[in-house]
Amino acid sequence: MKTADIRRTFLDFFVRNGHELVPSSSLVYPDPTLLFVPAGMVPFKPYFTGEEKPLWDRATSAQKCVRTLDIDEVGKTTRHGTFFQMLGNFSFGDYFKADAIRYAFELITTPQGAGGLGFDPDQLWVTVLGPGHHPDYPDGDVKARKLWRKVGIPDERIQGRGLADNFWQMGVPGPGGPSSEIYIDRGPAYGPDGGPIVDEDRFLEIWNLVFMSEELSAVRSKSDFDIAHPLPSKNIDTGMGLERTAYLLQGVDNMYEIDEIFPVIERAAQLAGKTYGADREDDVRLRVVGDHVRSSLMLLTDGVRPGNEARGYVLRRLLRRSVRAMRLLGVDTAVLPELLPVSKDLMAQSWPEVEANWDGTSTAAYAEEGAFARTLTAGTQIFTGAAARTRAAGGDTLSGESAFQLHDTYGFPVDLTLEMAAEQGLKVDTEAFASLMAEQRDRAKADARARKGLATSTEAYRQLRADGETRFTGFTELGEETRIRGLIRDGAVVPAATAGEVVEVVLEETPFYAEAGGQDSDSGTIRADGADLTVLDVQRPVPGLIVHKVRLEAGELHPGQRVTAQVDADNRRGACMAHTSTHIIHAALREALGPTAVQAGSYNRPGYLRFDFRSNQPLSKDLRDQIEGRSAEAIGDDLPVSATEMSLDEAKALGAMAMFGEKYGERVRMVELGGAWSRELCGGTHVADTSQIGLLTLTGESSVGSGVRRVEALVGRDAFDRLAAERSLVLGLADTLRVQPDQLADRVSRMVTQLREAEKEIAALRAERARAAIGDHLAGAKDLGGVAFVGVRADAAGNDLRTLAQEVRDRLGERPGVVALIGGPDDKPGIVVAVNGPARDRGLNAGELVRVGASELGGKGGGKPDLAQGGGTDGSRADQALGAVERAVSGG
């Protein structure tokens, strides 16, 4: 029974029994506590907890799931996988224990021809909550035991177990209840007799029935909790592992050998020249490939992209483990173009979105493999040398310096270094690695100072800092009478400066805000008797010291001189408006997206801001409108803005948001907007109330890295000018198209539709012209040692090129034939190779041939033996590409 058929049988059974078929949720579920959906009940959790009213009395689903806690066990055991499918039936206050058990037994034991799974009833064992494990269940789950006996399971095959195995709860106060697990006896070849309590390899669990009946008031562990009272309505939550059921029904030894995974393993073994089952170590690597390729495919299909954090990091690790396993099997060429399409064809039978999202999925996966290949080539040599030196010195720990070099220079993730070290029996000095990473961050800050024109050496700054901190008065004052403490030029303290020079000035106290927390520095002037200075930039190169980069317009400067420092008031006002607006947008984003939308960076200057936040999905137009509207409400509500100094612990207790990765002292400054609506640790300057911002408009939303999105906005007068310009543009377009402004969108939409229809007509004409040339192509076919070869530059592109190649191939008849067509624009040419059956019998393979041609075009390609396609970047080399394919056919 194929896996897709098992899935269909399960769902059809429960639909026949009055259950609503609920589609699977995406693996990326909107729950901030989850990276991915780890269980089939997750989408129904709000119904069980009472947060939402159930939409149905009873439901059934096949839910996509991913778990990565046991990733290192993948391939080594019979049942550890990262992606899996959970079949379930659910009741929300409808049927309970008797029907749940009856349904399960009926589905499992009914013959396959009659709509069941066809297991032998004599193979079934079940477990229930045993006696003596909880005071509220002194005799265990007596009812469940009786019901299993009633449907035909003898008492000797019903075993009692403890709370950790047979009582379900969420780990927190809320719903819970006893459960009953169903096991299949695989026979004496797999272990000793005695049921699940003796051996869970021979007796394999396939289905867990949860009888959700209790409200838990306290949860201390899986086996230590208090029951407050019965739930007002009793619920059923079940989960059957599709992969486990499949390998039992398909008569294979483990989940990796089922029909949805094993073809990937077979193809991987072919590429590596290995025989599955011949070598245990090779088999583990092949199973890793089979599991991880499928898991990566499903994550990519649901929109996850490789990155360095959270979901993106999990995907990156899966893809790179797959590639590295193939490297260890001896395959140094790209493997994902060979393996991922195999998995796609298998999984698309149950999940149509795999096919629909294939272009984005394959592009992201192949790009990641390319990047990792470059990393592996350089990094593996470095690692091997470092490991050899460690062992030669009699050590068992790879140095932190080696791990850091691999990470910093070659892009090796540290977990890969740990993994490779463990394979060679070595540890890694992770503390030294972490210390070097911290030093790197400090160097990055020094580099930033250098880009600002500040000295890269901090010696001069530390010399002046020894005389005390620079007191910042700018929260309350924009002007300050003060004294020059010191002057710095080219990284050294100097005794004087003259007109025309650009130097750094340190004052005893200053109203100038130094760039920090995303807020740009103040501008303004510094004046003394006979000296005028323009402030170009303000920074804090070392803690406690504020340094002004200035141009001396006239006069002379020397330490000890009295000066007047004056901040540009309009510039500061604009900066305050922009900085407060970043707090507003942060709060609005968290309201819209949840607590996972945390800040990942920001920048604001007068009139403009950008705000980076954690998210793997773009903001839809509706979400952008919602965030902009909520921001407008906050501005219109005239929320008071206040700043309070307190201890870090006090701020955390109040729920203040902190910037990830920032260091904070014992005393911090908490900025509030409207009380608890927005509380953030912040050292920047702000407006007194939100109405002073006036206007805020979002101008853009984009990706700035894996898992990080950016919104940009204008505030105040800049926002007004932007909206005025857009209004002028709308009025101008409306006038040109002779419609009212509110009709403009409809008019443009009709024009776009007309344009697309015209493009389709042009494409159809082009395709017709291309088909008309088929006869000419056939007439020009070359005989290459008995193989008819058609190689031309065709007037077609994309799917039309693919269709044309197939039509030409089919017209070749029974004689061995190869068709190679190149089409499309010169900057993005496409190539398709089609090979008929007689030619394939001679050993010719379209996938191999297309790679030859695509390489000449400056690109890559791949596909099946009968039809493959690729692309490149240099269509001017079409003749060379066709010639290369022709030579490959001749050689074949």
Side-chain angles (χ1 to χ4, degrees), residues 24-38 42-46 51-52 63 302 311 590 592-597 615-617 623:
S24 172
S25 293
S26 167
L27 287 166
V28 182
Y29 192 69
D31 183 331
T33 66
L34 300 174
L35 275 181
F36 306 110
V37 172
V42 167
F44 302 101
K45 182 180 173 182
E51 298 172 31
E52 297 179 19
Q63 175 62 46
D302 279 1
R311 298 182 178 103
R590 288 171 62 79
L593 303 180
T596 57
S615 177
N616 286 305
Q617 299 293 328
L623 274 173

Side-chain angles (χ1 to χ4, degrees), residues 47 56 97 100 165 203 309 328 337 375 421 494 498-499 542 606 647 657 764 784 834 844 878 890:
Y47 305 148
W56 327 274
K97 203 173 292 189
D165 293 300
F203 300 89
E309 294 184 2
L328 293 173
T375 294
V494 294
T498 57
V542 296
S647 71
M657 295 293 298
L784 304 177
L844 293 169
S890 297

Side-chain angles (χ1 to χ4, degrees), residues 295-313:
S295 300
S296 299
L297 170 74
M298 301 308 292
L299 289 171
L300 285 158
T301 295
D302 279 1
V304 182
R305 290 297 179 262
N308 290 326
E309 294 184 2
R311 298 182 178 103
Y313 181 74

Side-chain angles (χ1 to χ4, degrees), residues 42 68 72 115 254 294 346 426 474 534 569 599 635 647 654 657 677 689 707 752 767 883:
V42 167
T68 57
D72 293 325
N254 55 66
R294 184 174 78 139
L346 297 168
L426 298 174
T534 299
Q599 182 175 351
I635 292 170
S647 71
L654 289 170
M657 295 293 298
W677 184 68
D689 50 66
V752 171

Side-chain angles (χ1 to χ4, degrees), residues 400-421:
E401 290 82 359
S402 296
F404 178 75
Q405 182 190 22
L406 283 163
H407 170 84
D408 190 48
T409 306
Y410 300 100
F412 247 47
V414 69
D415 73 305
L416 179 57
T417 301
L418 290 167
E419 202 170 283
M420 292 173 68

Side-chain angles (χ1 to χ4, degrees), residues 801-855:
L801 189 68
R802 184 185 179 98
T803 301
L804 181 61
Q806 291 173 291
E807 291 181 2
V808 176
R809 178 192 62 188
D810 294 343
R811 293 272 292 275
L812 288 171
E814 295 302 317
R815 55 178 170 163
V818 174
V819 178
L821 302 183
I822 295 176
D826 276 350
D827 63 339
K828 197 176 181 181
I831 179 171
V832 176
V833 175
V835 180
N836 65 14
R840 293 198 301 278
D841 292 341
R842 291 191 172 206
L844 293 169
N845 182 298
E848 295 172 358
L849 293 173
V850 84
R851 280 192 286 274
V852 172
S855 177

Side-chain angles (χ1 to χ4, degrees), residues 874-885:
D874 187 1
S876 68
R877 294 187 56 79
D879 291 342
Q880 291 90 328
L882 293 172
V885 176

